[in-house]
Amino acid sequence: TAALNMGYIPQSEVLGYTSGASRLKKVITISLAAGYTLTQADSGAVVFMDSTTSGVDVVVPAPFAGGEYKIIKKDVGTSNALAITCASNDVFQGSSVFADAGTGANGTLVDFADSISIIATADAGTCVDLISDGTYWYVYGRSGVTLGITSTG
């Protein structure tokens, strides 16, 4: 039998390895009422949404293969909800998981939705991951508040 050599491989020889700041994701911070329209060039972005003074809307482009965004609510429960919409209709699919006081974890289904909302009273850190196969935006949301993420359409 042959022995497997588990020797050291220098990082410079690992395929796809990059060092330093080039490994950081793009970060877009939204803190105004005007909202933001994401583009394909923004794919991979982490978007921090701040709704302390007003509701914020983020528009994602029509689904494109490999598209990916992470959208995070930055502020603690306010009176302003956050909305995520798309240039196309019925393209959001997936689920959201939330903590449900007294019963543990629970969830909701996002089924061919037109929009996703992070409710006003959702806690800071509530987030929605969007990943596209070119046909749909697949949604995975997490919140510490019952029904902290909802969908319509």
Side-chain angles (χ1 to χ4, degrees):
T1 61
L4 180 60
N5 182 355
M6 299 296 286
Y8 172 77
I9 300 173
Q11 290 177 336
S12 60
E13 293 180 21
V14 176
L15 182 63
Y17 175 81
T18 57
S19 63
S22 62
R23 293 187 320 169
L24 298 176
K25 289 193 173 217
K26 295 176 250 181
V27 176
I28 298 168
T29 301
I30 298 173
S31 58
L32 302 174
Y36 192 82
T37 298
L38 293 163
T39 66
Q40 286 188 10
D42 296 322
S43 182
V46 177
V47 180
F48 293 95
M49 297 173 71
D50 185 343
S51 63
T52 51
T53 57
S54 64
V56 178
D57 296 339
V58 168
V59 180
V60 298
F64 61 97
E68 181 179 2
Y69 306 104
K70 179 183 283 284
I71 300 170
I72 301 172
K73 185 174 190 230
K74 188 175 175 179
D75 55 286
V76 178
T78 65
S79 58
N80 304 302
L82 306 170
I84 304 165
T85 60
C86 182
S88 303
N89 290 329
D90 300 328
V91 295
F92 294 115
Q93 294 193 72
S95 61
S96 65
V97 177
F98 55 86
D100 193 354
T103 62
N106 212 328
T108 58
L109 180 65
V110 178
D111 191 21
F112 299 105
D114 293 334
S115 66
I116 299 166
S117 294
I118 297 175
I119 66 170
T121 56
D123 52 347
T126 294
C127 65
V128 174
D129 291 318
L130 300 171
I131 300 173
S132 178
D133 65 354
T135 304
Y136 298 105
W137 283 108
Y138 292 94
V139 177
Y140 180 61
R142 295 162 307 287
S143 178
V145 175
T146 301
L147 296 174
I149 300 169
T150 61
S151 63
T152 57

XYZ file of all heavy atoms in Angstrom, residues 42-112:
495
model
N -21.968 44.269 -8.462
C -21.989 44.239 -7.004
C -22.061 42.821 -6.449
O -22.053 42.625 -5.237
C -23.197 45.024 -6.460
C -23.147 46.499 -6.781
O -22.049 47.071 -6.744
O -24.217 47.070 -7.078
N -22.165 41.821 -7.313
C -22.296 40.438 -6.862
C -21.188 40.102 -5.874
O -20.026 40.460 -6.061
C -22.245 39.477 -8.045
O -22.414 38.146 -7.593
N -21.554 39.413 -4.791
C -20.624 39.086 -3.731
C -20.640 40.101 -2.609
O -19.982 39.928 -1.588
N -21.421 41.160 -2.768
C -21.445 42.240 -1.782
C -22.175 41.830 -0.509
O -23.121 41.051 -0.532
C -22.108 43.480 -2.368
N -21.718 42.391 0.598
C -22.424 42.344 1.861
C -23.041 43.722 2.041
O -22.333 44.723 2.038
C -21.472 42.028 3.031
C -22.224 42.053 4.352
C -20.787 40.690 2.808
N -24.365 43.783 2.145
C -25.077 45.053 2.202
C -25.650 45.237 3.603
O -26.456 44.432 4.054
C -26.220 45.091 1.158
C -26.958 46.414 1.219
C -25.701 44.813 -0.232
N -25.206 46.287 4.298
C -25.731 46.609 5.620
C -26.812 47.665 5.461
O -26.544 48.761 4.983
C -24.612 47.137 6.531
C -23.593 46.092 6.868
C -22.430 45.987 6.135
C -23.814 45.209 7.910
C -21.485 45.019 6.436
C -22.878 44.231 8.221
C -21.710 44.142 7.487
N -28.043 47.325 5.857
C -29.164 48.237 5.711
C -29.477 48.873 7.061
O -29.650 48.174 8.051
C -30.376 47.482 5.171
C -30.138 46.910 3.783
S -31.476 45.839 3.195
C -32.775 47.032 2.913
N -29.568 50.191 7.084
C -29.828 50.941 8.306
C -31.170 51.656 8.159
O -31.309 52.561 7.345
C -28.702 51.946 8.532
C -28.830 52.681 9.850
O -29.920 52.675 10.456
O -27.822 53.260 10.273
N -32.141 51.233 8.966
C -33.478 51.821 8.846
C -33.847 52.660 10.065
O -35.025 52.818 10.368
C -34.515 50.709 8.651
O -34.548 49.870 9.794
N -32.857 53.216 10.736
C -33.161 53.969 11.952
C -33.983 55.226 11.679
O -34.773 55.639 12.517
C -31.875 54.361 12.714
O -30.971 54.999 11.819
C -31.209 53.143 13.326
N -33.819 55.842 10.508
C -34.568 57.066 10.231
C -35.690 56.868 9.222
O -36.626 57.651 9.189
C -33.640 58.179 9.708
O -32.958 57.726 8.554
C -32.628 58.564 10.783
N -35.604 55.838 8.384
C -36.672 55.570 7.417
C -36.501 54.167 6.850
O -35.462 53.538 7.021
C -36.645 56.589 6.272
O -35.449 56.456 5.545
N -37.538 53.678 6.162
C -37.446 52.376 5.511
C -36.452 52.436 4.361
O -36.217 53.497 3.785
N -35.844 51.317 4.058
C -34.849 51.256 2.983
C -35.247 50.146 2.025
O -35.632 49.059 2.446
C -33.439 50.981 3.548
C -32.423 50.878 2.431
C -33.026 52.064 4.527
N -35.169 50.431 0.737
C -35.454 49.433 -0.290
C -34.178 49.100 -1.038
O -33.414 49.993 -1.404
C -36.485 49.956 -1.297
C -37.835 50.206 -0.653
O -38.114 49.631 0.410
O -38.611 50.987 -1.227
N -33.955 47.814 -1.269
C -32.849 47.350 -2.096
C -33.461 46.601 -3.264
O -34.343 45.759 -3.091
C -31.898 46.425 -1.311
C -30.934 45.721 -2.235
C -31.134 47.219 -0.284
N -33.007 46.918 -4.468
C -33.472 46.244 -5.676
C -32.320 45.412 -6.224
O -31.234 45.936 -6.443
C -33.945 47.264 -6.743
C -34.421 46.553 -8.000
C -35.042 48.158 -6.179
N -32.568 44.118 -6.417
C -31.546 43.260 -7.020
C -31.850 43.126 -8.510
O -32.998 43.259 -8.935
C -31.481 41.868 -6.343
C -31.105 42.001 -4.880
C -32.778 41.103 -6.491
N -30.826 42.876 -9.311
C -31.073 42.723 -10.752
C -31.814 41.421 -11.044
O -31.966 40.566 -10.165
C -29.666 42.707 -11.344
C -28.778 42.240 -10.244
C -29.413 42.726 -8.971
N -32.257 41.265 -12.273
C -32.851 39.998 -12.701
C -31.845 38.889 -12.407
O -30.628 39.123 -12.420
C -33.174 40.043 -14.189
N -32.315 37.673 -12.097
C -31.388 36.587 -11.758
C -30.328 36.381 -12.841
O -30.621 36.451 -14.035
C -32.302 35.367 -11.667
C -33.650 35.924 -11.357
C -33.707 37.234 -12.091
N -29.092 36.142 -12.391
C -27.998 35.818 -13.301
C -27.141 34.744 -12.634
O -26.979 34.741 -11.413
C -27.175 37.059 -13.669
C -26.518 37.743 -12.500
C -25.189 37.486 -12.169
C -27.222 38.656 -11.721
C -24.588 38.109 -11.096
C -26.627 39.288 -10.640
C -25.301 39.012 -10.325
N -26.642 33.813 -13.417
C -25.900 32.674 -12.887
C -24.719 33.138 -12.045
O -23.915 33.954 -12.479
C -25.415 31.782 -14.025
N -24.642 32.636 -10.831
C -23.540 32.968 -9.936
C -23.745 34.222 -9.119
O -22.898 34.563 -8.298
N -24.860 34.923 -9.299
C -25.121 36.133 -8.528
C -25.265 35.807 -7.050
O -25.836 34.782 -6.684
N -24.732 36.682 -6.197
C -24.784 36.428 -4.757
C -24.717 37.743 -3.978
O -23.869 38.592 -4.242
C -23.602 35.547 -4.361
C -23.556 35.189 -2.912
C -22.379 34.285 -2.580
O -21.570 33.960 -3.470
O -22.258 33.918 -1.410
N -25.638 37.896 -3.023
C -25.650 39.048 -2.132
C -26.012 38.586 -0.731
O -26.780 37.649 -0.566
C -26.698 40.093 -2.570
C -26.559 40.543 -3.993
C -27.429 40.091 -4.972
C -25.548 41.425 -4.366
C -27.302 40.494 -6.294
C -25.418 41.837 -5.688
C -26.297 41.364 -6.634
O -26.159 41.769 -7.935
N -25.483 39.257 0.279
C -25.885 39.053 1.673
C -26.384 40.403 2.163
O -25.678 41.406 2.085
C -24.724 38.584 2.532
C -25.129 38.396 4.009
C -23.968 37.992 4.895
C -23.628 36.556 4.722
N -24.513 35.609 5.363
N -27.623 40.422 2.657
C -28.249 41.663 3.100
C -28.519 41.539 4.598
O -29.191 40.606 5.034
C -29.525 41.945 2.298
C -29.146 42.069 0.816
C -30.222 43.195 2.811
C -30.299 42.118 -0.138
N -27.972 42.486 5.372
C -28.036 42.421 6.831
C -28.681 43.682 7.387
O -28.320 44.793 7.009
C -26.614 42.287 7.422
C -25.934 41.031 6.878
C -26.660 42.272 8.946
C -24.464 40.919 7.240
N -29.642 43.495 8.304
C -30.241 44.637 9.000
C -29.259 45.082 10.073
O -28.840 44.305 10.919
C -31.580 44.267 9.627
C -32.273 45.454 10.256
C -33.667 45.102 10.751
C -34.379 46.380 11.140
N -34.982 46.326 12.438
N -28.894 46.338 10.028
C -27.841 46.875 10.885
C -28.365 47.387 12.230
O -27.650 47.353 13.221
C -27.153 48.009 10.121
C -25.932 48.562 10.744
C -25.308 49.578 9.804
C -24.127 50.260 10.435
N -23.507 51.220 9.540
N -29.588 47.857 12.281
C -30.096 48.518 13.480
C -31.034 47.612 14.265
O -31.606 46.680 13.731
C -30.817 49.811 13.107
C -31.904 49.559 12.083
O -31.570 49.338 10.904
O -33.080 49.559 12.456
N -31.207 47.922 15.538
C -32.143 47.204 16.390
C -33.548 47.702 16.078
O -33.719 48.830 15.623
C -31.783 47.439 17.874
C -32.765 46.754 18.802
C -30.373 46.959 18.135
N -34.561 46.864 16.316
C -35.948 47.166 15.999
C -36.329 48.632 15.992
O -36.105 49.342 16.963
N -36.869 49.088 14.874
C -37.322 50.468 14.720
C -38.744 50.425 14.201
O -39.369 49.375 14.160
C -36.444 51.224 13.692
O -36.624 50.627 12.405
C -34.976 51.189 14.083
N -39.252 51.535 13.746
C -40.598 51.550 13.170
C -40.535 51.458 11.651
O -41.538 51.674 10.977
C -41.332 52.825 13.596
O -40.599 53.952 13.173
N -39.360 51.131 11.092
C -39.191 51.115 9.641
C -38.790 49.730 9.137
O -37.801 49.159 9.589
C -38.114 52.122 9.230
C -38.422 53.510 9.737
O -39.469 54.061 9.432
N -37.538 54.066 10.527
N -39.553 49.228 8.189
C -39.257 47.929 7.582
C -38.255 48.110 6.439
O -38.048 49.222 5.946
C -40.528 47.290 7.056
N -37.660 47.013 6.032
C -36.728 46.996 4.909
C -37.312 46.105 3.826
O -37.891 45.064 4.129
C -35.374 46.443 5.358
C -34.745 47.142 6.555
C -33.552 46.362 7.066
C -34.323 48.546 6.182
N -37.163 46.494 2.564
C -37.718 45.702 1.468
C -36.625 45.317 0.480
O -35.733 46.115 0.176
C -38.806 46.495 0.747
N -36.715 44.090 -0.015
C -35.825 43.593 -1.060
C -36.722 43.198 -2.228
O -37.622 42.363 -2.082
C -35.013 42.377 -0.576
C -34.241 42.734 0.693
C -34.094 41.883 -1.684
C -33.710 41.521 1.445
N -36.514 43.845 -3.369
C -37.311 43.553 -4.552
C -36.378 43.230 -5.714
O -35.171 43.352 -5.602
C -38.225 44.740 -4.924
O -37.408 45.887 -5.182
C -39.205 45.068 -3.810
N -36.987 42.823 -6.828
C -36.200 42.446 -8.001
C -36.786 43.103 -9.231
O -37.976 43.416 -9.291
C -36.205 40.929 -8.157
S -35.219 40.347 -9.554
N -35.933 43.281 -10.231
C -36.373 43.828 -11.508
C -37.353 42.871 -12.197
O -38.114 43.289 -13.061
C -35.163 44.088 -12.403
N -37.349 41.592 -11.831
C -38.271 40.583 -12.382
C -39.242 40.147 -11.295
O -38.949 40.257 -10.111
C -37.488 39.358 -12.865
O -36.519 39.716 -13.817
N -40.401 39.609 -11.686
C -41.397 39.135 -10.732
C -41.266 37.642 -10.488
O -40.777 36.895 -11.335
C -42.814 39.435 -11.243
C -43.116 40.911 -11.227
O -42.598 41.648 -10.386
N -43.938 41.364 -12.150
N -41.746 37.198 -9.327
C -41.834 35.779 -8.965
C -40.498 35.050 -9.046
O -40.422 33.917 -9.501
C -42.853 35.061 -9.853
C -44.243 35.640 -9.727
O -44.587 36.115 -8.633
O -44.981 35.628 -10.725
N -39.419 35.680 -8.597
C -38.099 35.056 -8.732
C -37.459 34.662 -7.400
O -36.406 34.041 -7.405
C -37.125 35.961 -9.512
C -37.583 36.136 -10.947
C -36.950 37.300 -8.832
N -38.081 34.998 -6.263
C -37.502 34.632 -4.973
C -38.067 33.298 -4.506
O -39.281 33.120 -4.431
C -37.795 35.705 -3.915
C -37.129 37.026 -4.180
C -37.885 38.160 -4.451
C -35.745 37.143 -4.159
C -37.274 39.383 -4.674
C -35.127 38.364 -4.392
C -35.897 39.484 -4.654
N -37.182 32.355 -4.177
C -37.580 31.052 -3.650
C -36.665 30.709 -2.490
O -35.499 31.082 -2.491
C -37.408 29.957 -4.699
C -38.300 30.043 -5.887
C -38.230 28.738 -6.647
O -38.738 27.739 -6.196
N -37.574 28.768 -7.788
N -37.168 29.970 -1.532
C -36.326 29.527 -0.440
C -37.068 29.525 0.873
O -38.259 29.233 0.928
N -36.356 29.870 1.959
C -36.973 29.834 3.276
C -36.273 30.804 4.213
O -35.170 31.252 3.953
C -36.901 28.424 3.864
O -35.547 28.034 4.000
N -36.959 31.100 5.312
C -36.342 31.888 6.370
C -36.562 31.152 7.684
O -37.578 30.482 7.877
C -36.913 33.303 6.433
O -38.271 33.275 6.787
N -35.600 31.242 8.551
C -35.642 30.586 9.850
C -35.646 31.680 10.902
O -34.940 32.677 10.775
C -34.400 29.675 10.037
C -34.395 29.046 11.413
C -34.354 28.623 8.947
N -36.454 31.491 11.950
C -36.494 32.497 13.003
C -36.658 31.820 14.355
O -37.141 30.695 14.443
C -37.613 33.520 12.777
C -38.981 32.911 12.607
C -39.770 32.621 13.696
C -39.471 32.642 11.334
C -41.029 32.060 13.537
C -40.731 32.087 11.163
C -41.506 31.793 12.270
N -36.227 32.521 15.389
C -36.424 32.041 16.754
C -37.862 32.332 17.140
O -38.366 33.423 16.908
C -35.461 32.748 17.703
N -38.532 31.341 17.694
C -39.922 31.501 18.087
C -40.006 31.259 19.594
O -39.823 30.134 20.051
C -40.798 30.509 17.328
C -42.269 30.802 17.447
O -42.639 31.710 18.218
O -43.058 30.121 16.780
N -40.248 32.313 20.334
C -40.275 32.208 21.794
C -41.207 31.086 22.235
O -42.353 31.023 21.818
C -40.715 33.535 22.401
N -40.698 30.204 23.053
C -41.509 29.127 23.603
C -41.473 27.851 22.796
O -41.691 26.773 23.324
N -41.212 27.932 21.478
C -41.217 26.713 20.668
C -39.889 26.445 19.988
O -39.747 25.462 19.273
C -42.313 26.785 19.582
O -42.040 27.886 18.710
C -43.689 26.935 20.185
N -38.901 27.305 20.170
C -37.603 27.106 19.514
C -37.609 27.668 18.118
O -38.294 28.638 17.818
N -36.867 27.027 17.232
C -36.750 27.517 15.852
C -38.015 27.223 15.063
O -38.715 26.256 15.308
C -35.546 26.887 15.179
N -38.302 28.065 14.105
C -39.447 27.909 13.233
C -39.060 28.511 11.889
O -37.960 29.012 11.728
C -40.661 28.632 13.831
C -41.963 27.948 13.477
O -42.079 27.365 12.416
N -42.917 28.025 14.379
N -39.948 28.490 10.918
C -39.583 29.055 9.633
C -40.767 29.362 8.752
O -41.903 29.019 9.063
N -40.487 30.029 7.639
C -41.490 30.334 6.642
C -40.926 30.021 5.265
O -39.717 30.048 5.051
C -41.908 31.828 6.669
O -40.757 32.636 6.459
C -42.563 32.189 7.984
N -41.796 29.729 4.342
C -41.414 29.404 2.978
C -41.508 30.633 2.096
O -42.469 31.401 2.178
C -42.339 28.312 2.432
C -42.102 27.827 1.020
C -40.734 27.141 0.919
C -43.202 26.864 0.602
N -40.506 30.844 1.256
C -40.531 31.899 0.248
C -40.752 31.181 -1.074
O -39.892 30.439 -1.529
C -39.202 32.692 0.217
C -39.238 33.746 -0.871
C -38.923 33.318 1.574
N -41.930 31.345 -1.674
C -42.308 30.550 -2.841
C -42.700 31.453 -4.006
O -43.794 31.992 -4.026
C -43.454 29.622 -2.460
C -43.739 28.580 -3.518
O -42.855 28.291 -4.342
O -44.864 28.041 -3.509
N -41.804 31.629 -4.970
C -42.035 32.455 -6.150
C -42.552 33.839 -5.755
O -43.538 34.332 -6.266
C -43.000 31.768 -7.117
C -42.488 30.462 -7.619
C -43.007 29.272 -7.137
C -41.453 30.420 -8.540
C -42.513 28.061 -7.592
C -40.953 29.211 -8.992
C -41.482 28.019 -8.523
